[in-house]
Amino acid sequence: MSESTEHCRKSHHSEATKKNLTTRLNRVEGQIRGIKNMIENDVYCDDVITQLAASQAALNSVARILLDGHMKTCVKERLLEGDDEVLDELVTTIQKLMRK
């Protein structure tokens, strides 16, 4: 692992961003618990699917925030340091996000 790769192995999120992400993830966690309860209580399938879609949308929102920050900090810094391998990593990350 190169020095520049190690350099960005920790996030660079502000406290406000961490709080925002944590709040969003707590909400998703609550949604997932609610979906589990819906299934246990034999709630109508379409209603469960609607809640699943809402949870997925919330997770996608978290991913977009993280990707935006990653591109503006880690990717930018590594490119400025001459580490073009970060582009392959970024493509792989975006491909993972697009699998659905």
Side-chain angles (χ1 to χ4, degrees):
M1 189 177 304
S2 70
E3 185 178 319
S4 60
T5 302
E6 290 175 11
H7 175 70
C8 254
R9 290 300 174 193
K10 285 198 160 207
S11 65
H12 300 289
H13 305 299
S14 69
E15 287 305 313
T17 299
K18 285 184 201 179
K19 184 173 176 31
N20 179 14
L21 292 170
T22 300
T23 299
R24 288 170 183 270
L25 289 169
N26 286 339
R27 193 173 306 129
V28 171
E29 186 177 24
Q31 287 175 310
I32 299 301
R33 277 194 305 273
I35 292 166
K36 181 181 171 193
N37 288 334
M38 291 172 82
I39 290 171
E40 289 171 350
N41 293 315
D42 298 318
V43 172
Y44 185 60
C45 296
D46 190 59
D47 294 336
V48 176
I49 291 167
T50 298
Q51 288 305 308
L52 283 168
S55 297
Q56 287 174 331
L59 282 173
N60 287 341
S61 177
V62 170
R64 278 191 300 275
I65 292 167
L66 287 169
L67 182 61
D68 180 70
H70 180 59
M71 290 176 69
K72 290 177 179 175
T73 57
C74 292
V75 173
K76 180 180 176 181
E77 288 173 13
R78 286 176 61 185
L79 285 172
L80 290 172
E81 293 169 357
D83 182 1
D84 290 343
E85 288 179 18
V86 71
L87 294 176
D88 291 331
E89 179 186 279
L90 181 61
V91 168
T92 300
T93 299
I94 292 171
Q95 288 172 341
K96 287 176 188 175
L97 288 172
M98 293 178 75
R99 280 188 216 145
K100 293 202 174 156

